[in-house]
Amino acid sequence: MSDSTTTRTFAADRAVLADVRRFVAAEAERLSFSDHAHDLQLAVNEACANAILHSQTREIRVSIGLVGACLQIAVEDDGIYRDKLPVPEVDREGHRGIPLMAAMVDKFTLRRGTEERRGTLVQFVKCKS
């Protein structure tokens, strides 16, 4: 990312998700991406909710900055990615987060935290159309 990157650390608690969304909206506005704020809020909220629910991390770091004409967002935790086979029609627990996040942005990447290398990293790139 660039010098315009801002990083905030949030407790891994569902109560902070509104603060995460406000942070994303404020940064989108500051970096002239307010037209995409809703999609970015949705994607980042989902990544943070997944970290809170599934990784057993204590905190989540959200970084937002410009890379050329694109906004790049990173969501990092210190946990382990718990993979579960999605069967949304059967267990009604959702499991639509990854496709949802990917649909909101131009580029989506996921590096799963493991026992050997803790910390999941989700990255989003949204370019001006």
Side-chain angles (χ1 to χ4, degrees):
M1 289 198 219
S2 69
D3 293 336
S4 66
T5 300
T6 303
T7 302
R8 284 209 37 208
T9 302
F10 299 91
D13 186 303
R14 293 178 67 113
V16 305
L17 291 176
D19 293 333
V20 170
R21 291 189 299 275
R22 280 191 288 275
F23 171 62
V24 171
E27 287 302 294
E29 175 76 23
R30 181 179 75 85
L31 298 169
S32 301
F33 273 79
S34 55
D35 289 351
H36 303 288
H38 177 59
D39 290 350
L40 296 169
Q41 287 176 298
L42 183 59
V44 172
N45 187 81
E46 183 64 27
C48 291
N50 284 347
I52 292 164
L53 291 172
H54 303 297
S55 75
Q56 298 178 335
T57 190
R58 291 184 179 190
E59 65 182 27
I60 301 161
R61 291 168 302 287
V62 180
S63 301
I64 304 174
L66 289 175
V67 177
C70 299
L71 191 71
Q72 182 171 325
I73 302 176
V75 177
E76 298 179 83
D77 65 50
D78 297 319
I80 298 169
Y81 183 91
R82 307 282 180 204
D83 207 6
K84 183 177 176 184
L85 291 175
V87 187
E89 299 79 27
V90 175
D91 63 18
R92 305 260 190 247
E93 290 183 18
H95 306 294
R96 293 176 183 90
I98 290 175
L100 175 73
M101 289 185 281
M104 297 294 110
V105 296
D106 297 313
K107 183 178 178 187
F108 168 81
T109 58
L110 169 65
R111 185 194 75 212
R112 293 167 168 90
T114 64
E115 292 284 346
E116 296 77 34
R117 192 199 71 233
R118 296 179 70 85
T120 295
L121 171 64
V122 180
Q123 291 183 300
F124 307 102
V125 176
K126 185 71 174 182
C127 299
K128 290 189 176 182
S129 5

